[in-house]
Amino acid sequence: MKITETVTRTIKLTELESLDPITIHLENFEPGKGRIHIQCYSKAWAAYWGGMSGDPVEAFFIRCHPQYLIGNLAPGLQSRQTSLDGLTDKVKEEIRRLRRAEEITAENAREYWDEADGIQHLESLEILAHEYGDLLSSVFGEEWWYCLPEEASPDYTYLHRVVVAVQEGLQQVIENNKAAA
């Protein structure tokens, strides 16, 4: 068994605008290899980088684009998500377009229009697909899910704000350390 002790540096950011306090744990294993753990309220994210051009993790974190960092801290988290808000209006707009182009009959347009009114009360994509999949296929085509409106993901937006705050906090720490030296 090999046991290695590492030094973990902890930094707390408080009095942040519209964010709870953030705790940052930095581990630099060797030049260019390190890990960061970020905690804010009840959420936590961590990432390891093994090739940071010899930089400590804090310097690497500061110079990276937030989108890249989010991709490492929360793989799979998308910046956009499907929105059911406004879907009824989008379906009705497409029904009007199809009718004007004479791609559907007046009877089909009326039937689709009436059915589209039920969409506004849905709470999940699963229910939408199950209950309105046929309508959406008739209006948008077989791959109707590509036509769904999107909105900014609140989880992504939140993590972006946290990452930017961490970058600013780490920058201040580095500047304070240089001034003290």
Side-chain angles (χ1 to χ4, degrees):
M1 169 189 315
K2 180 180 177 182
I3 299 173
T4 306
E5 286 188 49
T6 63
V7 176
T8 302
R9 186 172 176 196
T10 301
I11 299 169
K12 290 194 178 264
L13 307 178
T14 58
E15 299 179 20
L16 299 165
E17 186 176 332
S18 301
L19 280 174
D20 289 310
I22 297 173
T23 303
I24 308 160
H25 301 282
L26 302 166
E27 292 179 88
N28 286 295
F29 302 115
E30 61 183 71
K33 294 183 180 184
R35 177 186 344 260
I36 189 168
H37 297 260
I38 302 169
Q39 296 169 292
C40 184
Y41 191 56
S42 64
K43 301 271 187 183
W45 306 271
Y48 167 83
W49 289 279
M52 300 182 294
S53 301
D55 288 341
V57 70
E58 53 269 34
F60 176 78
F61 198 87
I62 290 168
R63 79 166 189 258
C64 288
H65 192 278
Q67 184 178 5
Y68 168 78
L69 296 170
I70 291 168
N72 281 270
L73 293 166
L77 182 61
Q78 300 295 313
S79 62
R80 310 277 304 157
Q81 67 183 23
T82 301
S83 170
L84 296 179
D85 293 339
L87 180 57
T88 299
D89 293 337
K90 185 169 181 165
V91 170
K92 288 184 174 183
E93 180 182 312
E94 184 64 11
I95 292 168
R96 281 195 290 283
R97 189 196 69 74
L98 291 170
R99 181 65 192 125
R100 281 188 207 117
E102 298 183 3
E103 294 180 36
I104 59 173
T105 65
E107 294 78 28
N108 283 345
R110 172 51 52 201
E111 177 188 332
Y112 298 160
W113 190 274
D114 292 342
E115 191 176 351
D117 285 330
I119 293 174
Q120 62 192 350
H121 303 294
L122 295 179
E123 295 181 16
S124 75
L125 287 173
E126 292 78 20
I127 295 172
L128 174 70
H130 182 8
E131 294 185 15
Y132 295 94
D134 291 339
L135 167 67
L136 297 171
S137 291
S138 298
V139 174
F140 293 118
E142 290 301 314
E143 294 183 347
W144 54 265
W145 47 90
Y146 291 115
C147 297
L148 296 178
E150 291 185 334
E151 64 187 3
S153 164
D155 291 338
Y156 187 94
T157 302
Y158 177 70
L159 183 52
H160 187 275
R161 291 176 45 233
V162 169
V163 165
V164 169
V166 169
Q167 286 178 314
E168 291 170 358
L170 291 174
Q171 183 66 46
Q172 279 186 355
V173 167
I174 289 172
E175 289 171 7
N176 291 346
N177 289 342
K178 284 180 183 176

